[in-house]
Amino acid sequence: MALETVGGRDGRSVVKQAKNSGARTAIVALCIGGLLAGLGSWLYFDSREEPDPCRQLLQHERVSTALAAEYQPDLSCGDLGRAIEHATTGSRPEQQSLSQAQAMKDVLVAMGDVLEDEPAPLERQLADPVAKALAGYAGDIFAILVPGDTEYVRRALPSQGAWEDAEGAHMSVPHDSLIRIMASLSVSPEAYASLREAMTHEVAQKFAAVPRTTSEKKLSPYPSITAWALGSMDAVAHAARDGIGEDKRGSWEAKVLTRLSSGAPKPPIPSYDEEPVDHIVVSWKRTLPSDSPDDLLKLLEKQSAELVRIWTASLGADSTVQASLADDAADRAWSARRSTLRELRG
């Protein structure tokens, strides 16, 4: 009778309950598995949407090589930036040793690799010291930005190391990689101002080195060459400003202007005969407004022509020559800006 009870209606009820319990367990397990899978996917995509360039750089073998004994795998962004600056900076700008130039190349190659995989603005704690260090390589930046220097093109390959010549140590990286790095650095206004100041000073040096003459024919090659570098920096500014929220763009422009206009004292501008580079740079800074303009980038885009005007006026060229060469500079800067922006935006 007991056997009948177990095997009868009650037994079927027990079996049914067991089956229902098993089904519920399976459903719960599937739900939990789905949630975990979904969470894992969310975390994966979220991490891809917000990459961590500092951590990625620390994992790059070239960074550990560049920093040598200062390398630690858990450096903060700020400490990483300071370590890079220390490893790549000479006692004076453009007075780096061969090993420091190689360290800068290693860092830029690593940054290029990271930004190629995940283009992203770099944190200010990293960007500011790296930009300050990179500004010390203004001559190299100029040669990379301006087309035509075959030595820098040849040595831009990652497999090519830094080199030395009679002028000191140098390094090179691909043009597209450099402008992408500078655009990411320049989301920080301090970083952009450091790079723009360095390029302004470099252009002034190029002008000051030209044999003195008032002949338009003899002066004509130089404005277009130097304007290409400044036009490229205009494009970097556009890309950097586009990389921040609209609510922060006014602050970015104000901070850049404050930094660029500093060092323009009210006392007399240095004499061109005695200090030609400072004369050109300070004269240009004196043209900058004290208050932020409606569009700082429009103001910066006039820099190439304004520097040429200051330079040719200092040489004693007549107004016709000044205007002609300034127009050439403006045209070439526009071409450089357009070409570089196209490269940055793919």
Side-chain angles (χ1 to χ4, degrees):
M1 200 59 179
L3 290 175
E4 273 187 21
T5 302
V6 172
R9 185 177 58 197
D10 293 340
R12 287 193 298 271
S13 178
V14 170
V15 171
K16 185 177 180 179
Q17 290 176 359
K19 285 182 177 180
N20 290 340
S21 177
R24 285 195 298 270
T25 302
I27 291 170
V28 171
L30 286 171
C31 290
I32 292 173
L35 286 171
L36 290 174
L39 178 61
S41 297
W42 179 83
L43 288 173
Y44 171 73
F45 286 114
D46 185 64
S47 66
R48 288 180 60 82
E49 289 171 0
E50 298 183 5
D52 184 351
C54 293
R55 185 171 298 280
Q56 290 174 293
L57 283 172
L58 282 167
Q59 293 171 349
H60 201 291
E61 62 181 358
R62 286 211 180 226
V63 170
S64 61
T65 299
L67 300 187
E70 290 192 42
Y71 175 78
Q72 295 179 32
D74 57 350
L75 289 173
S76 67
C77 268
D79 288 339
L80 175 59
R82 286 185 286 273
I84 289 173
E85 183 180 3
H86 184 262
T88 60
T89 303
S91 56
R92 289 184 299 167
E94 300 195 68
Q95 294 294 319
Q96 299 86 5
S97 66
L98 183 61
S99 62
Q100 288 169 332
Q102 181 60 51
M104 177 56 79
K105 168 148 188 169
D106 285 336
V107 167
L108 294 180
V109 170
M111 284 189 165
D113 289 346
V114 168
L115 294 174
E116 184 176 19
D117 293 338
E118 294 285 356
L122 297 175
E123 290 193 29
R124 187 167 184 172
Q125 297 95 323
L126 174 68
D128 288 353
V130 171
K132 183 179 177 182
L134 184 56
Y137 292 78
D140 293 335
I141 296 173
F142 183 94
I144 296 168
L145 292 179
V146 179
D149 195 316
T150 56
E151 182 76 355
Y152 275 83
V153 173
R154 182 176 70 83
R155 293 183 182 270
L157 294 172
S159 58
Q160 295 288 317
W163 73 98
E164 283 184 300
D165 58 21
E167 297 178 352
H170 308 280
M171 63 86 207
S172 181
V173 293
H175 177 271
D176 62 336
S177 181
L178 177 63
I179 61 172
R180 190 167 57 246
I181 291 167
M182 290 199 298
S184 291
L185 292 170
S186 296
V187 170
S188 162
E190 185 71 20
Y192 181 73
S194 292
L195 295 171
R196 185 85 190 203
E197 277 193 320
M199 202 50 49
T200 299
H201 197 269
E202 184 67 20
V203 165
Q205 284 186 318
K206 300 294 184 189
F207 285 148
V210 176
R212 298 193 180 190
T213 178
T214 57
S215 166
E216 181 176 357
K217 182 178 180 180
K218 292 180 180 179
L219 295 175
S220 62
Y222 302 99
S224 60
I225 293 172
T226 53
W228 192 274
L230 291 174
S232 299
M233 292 304 300
D234 292 340
V236 168
H238 276 279
R241 193 182 66 171
D242 289 347
I244 59 179
E246 289 188 15
D247 59 323
K248 297 179 180 178
R249 291 177 185 177
S251 174
W252 185 91
E253 291 191 10
K255 289 176 181 178
V256 169
L257 178 62
T258 298
R259 168 69 182 274
L260 291 180
S261 60
S262 65
K266 291 183 179 180
I269 295 170
S271 163
Y272 186 81
D273 290 332
E274 296 179 2
E275 300 178 61
V277 174
D278 287 343
H279 173 86
I280 293 172
V281 173
V282 175
S283 295
W284 174 70
K285 287 188 173 188
R286 291 282 289 271
T287 69
L288 296 175
S290 56
D291 297 325
S292 295
D294 292 336
D295 190 340
L296 176 65
L297 301 195
K298 293 294 183 183
L299 180 66
L300 292 179
E301 287 167 9
K302 298 177 182 178
Q303 185 186 20
S304 298
E306 185 62 24
L307 289 178
V308 169
R309 187 196 64 75
I310 293 168
W311 170 56
T312 52
S314 300
L315 293 173
D318 63 42
S319 58
T320 302
V321 172
Q322 292 178 37
S324 176
L325 295 181
D327 286 344
D328 287 346
D331 289 344
R332 183 55 63 94
W334 179 85
S335 296
R337 181 170 64 253
R338 183 182 64 170
S339 174
T340 305
L341 273 173
R342 187 165 55 241
E343 195 171 357
L344 280 168
R345 292 169 178 172

